[in-house]
Amino acid sequence: MELSVRETWTVLHGLILGTLFLLAFGGGLAGLWSLRPELVTPEGIRERMGRLVAGTWIMAVTAWLTVFSGTFIVYPWYRAKTPDSPRSLLLANESTKLWHEFGMEWKEHVAWIAPILATAVAYVIWYYGRRLAHEDRVRKVAMVLYSLAFVAAGVAGVFGAFLNKMAPTR
Amino acid sequence: MGISRNPTDGPETASRPNGPAAAALVAAGIGSFALGLFTTLTEISAGFKAFLTWSDPVGPLSGKALGAVIVWLVAWAVAANRWRGVDIDFHKAWRWTLILVALGFLLTFPPVFLAFEQ
């Protein structure tokens, strides 16, 4: 049971940070959804607000850590100009080259939208605080943007998992 | 923002100026659009691709990503400064945010940006 340095970084980038991101997203969306005065008492809003602010900031920070580690640590190994790099292996075979030309090309770019949107949502929730429960339109806007951040991260995560299956970074 | 206010409203229900929140949203839209724009421009121009290659091991993705982050932060600072403590047309700000984010998604979609490949 040994992992190389590269495998460890790949696990950290995709599995550990990705799982944290998913957990934070699920909790954050549920918190935003029910943050309504007709559903929660003022004490309830006060009680859950700290958790919502912390959860959305954790999601934003996790997204930043994921894209920075992916782009500046794992990606150079993926695209190394050697015949055994994952990119070279995928492009060498007609049946796998689309994994790079579509999957990796999409993943490496769209992923960067996730932390930008997640940070904006975390800021808006922090800025309004408990007042957000009474700002229905802002709350709904935050939910939409939050979901778009998740979509961007989801595309990157799904293709990352498939790419690592097709041509692992070792 | 669609809810009535009355004199008994406490600090938890009193509204805040929406300018700072709108600034964060619009800036996020601008950052997303910048990412898409840089991604497409590097396919159109080899010179721009070389210009955005800030790190050799990472390639042009380094400049595309960090460039978009810089644009996003500058846009946020400018908008936050301009809209500090004021209410603006939130619907309009949100509409622009959605348009810019949609363009960001579109221009980072391979069949779209690779159509410009030289």
Side-chain angles (χ1 to χ4, degrees):
Chain A
M1 273 187 51
E2 276 186 30
L3 287 175
S4 68
V5 171
R6 293 183 181 192
E7 286 168 333
T8 304
W9 272 108
T10 307
V11 167
L12 182 69
H13 160 73
L15 192 66
I16 296 175
L17 292 173
T19 304
L20 256 178
F21 183 88
L22 273 175
L23 281 172
F25 173 77
L29 191 67
L32 270 174
W33 177 265
S34 61
L35 194 70
R36 286 178 277 178
E38 67 268 28
L39 294 181
V40 191
T41 63
E43 288 73 27
I45 291 173
R46 198 170 295 127
E47 187 270 334
R48 71 177 52 190
M49 206 58 219
R51 211 166 46 234
L52 187 58
V53 170
T56 47
W57 278 115
I58 287 172
M59 177 168 156
V61 169
T62 304
W64 283 114
L65 290 174
T66 308
V67 293
F68 269 97
S69 64
T71 301
F72 293 98
I73 297 173
V74 178
Y75 184 56
W77 296 326
Y78 169 88
R79 73 186 293 271
K81 289 182 172 67
T82 55
D84 61 343
S85 72
R87 181 179 184 273
S88 302
L89 294 173
L90 290 174
L91 289 176
N93 192 328
E94 202 60 39
S95 68
T96 57
K97 66 191 292 188
L98 205 57
W99 282 107
H100 171 77
E101 292 174 349
F102 180 77
M104 190 63 193
E105 290 282 4
W106 196 12
K107 164 192 163 57
E108 72 189 46
H109 294 107
V110 78
W112 281 87
I113 292 178
I116 292 175
L117 300 188
T119 304
V121 172
Y123 173 80
V124 168
I125 292 171
W126 170 81
Y127 175 73
Y128 278 99
R130 295 194 293 263
R131 295 175 184 86
L132 189 61
H134 304 273
E135 299 280 358
D136 197 47
R137 179 191 258 178
V138 179
R139 186 181 61 82
K140 286 176 178 164
V141 159
M143 283 171 59
V144 171
L145 215 59
Y146 202 54
S147 301
L148 288 173
F150 179 75
V151 168
V155 168
V158 166
F159 275 105
F162 277 121
L163 283 156
N164 202 46
K165 179 80 178 165
M166 299 302 295
T169 301
R170 293 207 167 97
Chain B
M1 287 278 122
I3 64 166
S4 61
R5 307 278 181 225
N6 64 56
T8 60
D9 276 345
E12 288 177 19
T13 54
S15 66
R16 298 197 78 178
N18 66 23
L25 298 181
V26 173
I30 292 172
S32 304
F33 173 66
L35 179 70
L37 184 68
F38 292 161
T39 302
T40 304
L41 286 177
T42 53
E43 298 301 326
I44 294 172
S45 161
F48 195 67
K49 188 181 230 171
F51 170 70
L52 285 185
T53 304
W54 297 356
S55 154
D56 279 333
V58 179
L61 180 61
S62 54
K64 289 184 247 182
L66 294 181
V69 169
I70 291 168
V71 169
W72 165 59
L73 290 174
V74 170
W76 195 354
V78 170
N81 188 48
R82 199 179 169 94
W83 295 339
R84 182 188 303 148
V86 299
D87 271 315
I88 65 151
D89 184 343
F90 194 78
H91 182 71
K92 194 173 172 184
W94 172 231
R95 195 169 59 225
W96 273 107
T97 303
L98 268 186
I99 291 170
L100 291 165
V101 170
L103 285 171
F105 271 95
L106 186 70
L107 294 174
T108 52
F109 188 56
V112 174
F113 70 80
L114 290 176
F116 295 94
E117 194 175 14
Q118 295 295 307

